[in-house]
Amino acid sequence: MQEFTDRQIEIMEAATNRISKFGIQNLTIKTLAEDIGLSEPALYRHFKSKNEILFSLLSYFKSEMKNRIQSLPFKPNDTEGDKLRAIFNSQLQTFTNKPAIVSVIFAESIFHYDEGLSYKVSEIMELMHQYVNKNIEKGQKGGTYNKLIGASTLTTIILGGMRMTVLKWKLSGHKSNLIKDGTAVLEGILKMIEKK
């Protein structure tokens, strides 16, 4: 895992705040340096470019997400459905608390010219895909989920539904209730696959 200095974390936090308030297109080294009271040359000592800041933000989020999901306090009698609910609740909660990270993850339209950023976003998506797919496979093997749809397809359906919900929330200017809407989507899908 990449280690960041306190100053780099401060810069990434400031970038996150600026993205939250003004959108990702208004993130520049100049405005960022002003936000934290650094000169531009001083900021360049910590990050070579705006894209490096975004890349670091995504790396930071990915390792935070991994640690957070792996340390979810599952109880011994939790079903795979309970575990899946906990995973998504944790993600939706994080997005609600840090909406700027959603702006960064969902900014792939401006990343298409930067392979590094696109790759980092796809790594985050792949990690989430692994958690969900593993959960579905385990539930189908253990008999708590039906096997009408293959695990990989089901994972795509769940992540697609979640992505759509997060995107709607982002486009509403974070006015809709992401946790409520995301939970409703997940519950709808679980209703179709959980064996009662």
Side-chain angles (χ1 to χ4, degrees):
M1 195 190 102
Q2 192 178 353
E3 288 297 320
F4 295 106
T5 65
D6 289 346
R7 181 58 106 180
Q8 283 178 313
I9 290 172
E10 184 193 351
I11 293 168
M12 291 191 298
E13 288 289 335
T16 304
N17 290 335
R18 174 154 280 278
I19 293 165
S20 270
K21 285 191 192 121
F22 308 108
I24 198 163
Q25 56 285 4
N26 286 310
L27 178 71
T28 65
I29 294 291
K30 184 179 173 12
T31 53
L32 199 49
E34 285 167 12
D35 288 349
I36 44 181
L38 276 180
S39 68
E40 286 182 59
L43 202 146
Y44 277 116
R45 280 199 289 278
H46 301 283
F47 290 105
K48 288 191 278 295
S49 66
K50 172 178 132 172
N51 280 9
E52 192 185 347
I53 295 171
L54 293 171
F55 186 83
S56 300
L57 252 180
L58 290 167
S59 300
Y60 191 63
F61 175 72
K62 183 186 168 198
S63 62
E64 181 277 332
M65 175 175 124
K66 195 173 184 174
N67 296 337
R68 180 170 36 81
I69 291 176
Q70 283 173 352
S71 59
L72 284 171
F74 296 136
K75 292 182 237 20
N77 56 349
D78 278 350
T79 64
E80 290 310 311
D82 295 332
K83 291 175 186 173
L84 198 60
R85 286 176 181 94
I87 289 171
F88 277 108
N89 190 42
S90 168
Q91 282 296 87
L92 297 170
Q93 200 72 61
T94 301
F95 286 163
T96 303
N97 297 342
K98 288 195 185 305
I101 197 67
V102 174
S103 300
V104 178
I105 295 172
F106 280 71
E108 66 266 14
S109 57
I110 61 172
F111 291 168
H112 58 81
Y113 59 86
D114 187 302
E115 245 171 66
L117 288 173
S118 297
Y119 185 70
K120 195 46 84 176
V121 170
S122 71
E123 275 184 359
I124 291 171
M125 286 164 59
E126 182 50 39
L127 185 62
M128 199 59 194
H129 191 279
Q130 284 166 17
Y131 287 128
V132 176
N133 200 59
K134 204 163 104 194
N135 175 282
I136 302 290
E137 283 176 349
K138 234 172 135 181
Q140 287 184 333
K141 208 173 254 146
T144 53
Y145 295 151
N146 65 47
K147 295 181 175 138
L148 296 174
I149 305 170
S152 178
T153 304
L154 207 43
T155 300
T156 303
I157 291 169
I158 293 170
L159 292 176
M162 282 301 176
R163 194 174 168 78
M164 190 71 193
T165 307
V166 174
L167 193 55
K168 272 166 71 178
W169 172 72
K170 180 183 178 266
L171 295 174
S172 80
H174 312 127
K175 304 255 188 306
S176 61
N177 184 332
L178 178 61
I179 296 174
K180 188 172 143 277
D181 296 346
T183 303
V185 168
L186 185 62
E187 287 304 328
I189 296 170
L190 283 172
K191 207 172 262 169
M192 295 187 277
I193 66 167
E194 270 187 309
K195 289 182 172 174
K196 282 286 178 257

